[in-house]
Amino acid sequence: MLFSQQTYVERRKQLRELVGDGIVILFGNNNSPMNYPNNTYKFRQDSSFLYFVGQHREGLTLAIDCNSGKEILFGDEVSIDDIVWYGKVKSAAEMAEESGISELRPMAKLADLVAEAKGRTIHYLPPYRHKNMMVIERLLGIKAEEQKARASVTLIKAIVKLRSIKSEEEIAELERAAAIGYKMHTTAMQLVTKPGMTEAYISGVLEGIAASLGSITSFGNIVTMHGEIMHGCPSPRALEQGRLLLVDAGAETFEHYCSDNTRTMPISGKFTQKQREIIDIVADCHDLALTFAKPGLRWYDTHMAVCRLMTERLKEIGLMRGDTDEAVAAGAHALFMPHGLGHMMGMDVHDMEGLGQNYVGYDDTIQPSDQFGLASLRFARKLEPGHVITDEPGIYFIPDLIDDWAKSGKYDRFIDFNKVNEYRDFGGVRIEDDVLITPDGCRFLGDDRVPYKAADVEDYIAQYK
């Protein structure tokens, strides 16, 4: 366990009080086979189970009776065959004791608990692993395709309330993830001008850095010359002089606290004038967000302020025109930034996204929009001390999107498509950092900053050419 027993005991107490009535069942994860049962993917515990129990072993489930306060850990003891192949590990009983859970029962007894609770509310989270879907169907008689819709909103809201505010202990772990992320991104900058480099090679080196430090990557690395593709996968193609390389990558510690940063760098070591103009806009938008990020203000308003600044600056270089407020209200700027400014961070790189964006990033005062671009703003609610969010503006030139919008004529009064077509082969620029909301403002996570402004990026790369 990462934290003290008392941390997990207190978290479960708060959860019990917030839910108030019924039985909470939190399913841990099981091993997932790649191609046959004994050849599995690297085990990854469910984040909410880990948050309340602190144990990484597969095949565990927690039940909490919110009325009586009784807590039961369900899990089977390891066999001698398991020990032969994988070594001696803590017993399920030792894990229960370590987590401050007074009772352990075999997994087969979970069905008895549900049967005894007939007529009472059973709270569960939206499942994403098929084995747990099968268990829920067997226990509760709810078909897999209906389980997400029938998951407990009361439980979801309680967990979002607790997990959204990061404790000092959690912030320290997020800082560890940030330090690994720093090594990953600065290594990419050291490699970008080396002869024969490929996207895939750089991506592999970044994965190796994370693995060598007892970590994993927090998501599949985005290492691409096609920065206009939001989730571009690394290819074995050699890097090309004159182009930009966008690297979006992060580390996830053993306890699953994540970092997520993006940097855009010139493969030749120097930005062209056109590239510098765009990255300067993105860097200024990135910095503007930091002046808005403070308790009591909505991240939605930060997003909109960034969109207005971006529009003003794109007008200065001839890509946009017309009234800025009208253009942003119409969503014309989303041709260049079709995503939101950021998302919550924590034990998941998009923290708690599986519980529902409308609960995590929104609340009763603000709900998601259906406008293109704005619909992808994953976090909009009022900021509180302890929130950790990404600040990630970007500008992209997506040929198919440009053609689609130009053909429609919808945004002609805000966009100069003839000028935009001069950028069809530009790619994209994104700058992303993880930001902690403090009582009086915000700060970056991580003691060291990966260079992101054009001159600083060029100066750093020049040291390794």
Side-chain angles (χ1 to χ4, degrees), residues 111-122:
D112 295 341
L113 175 77
V114 173
E116 293 165 5
K118 189 173 182 179
R120 299 183 65 192
T121 301
I122 303 291

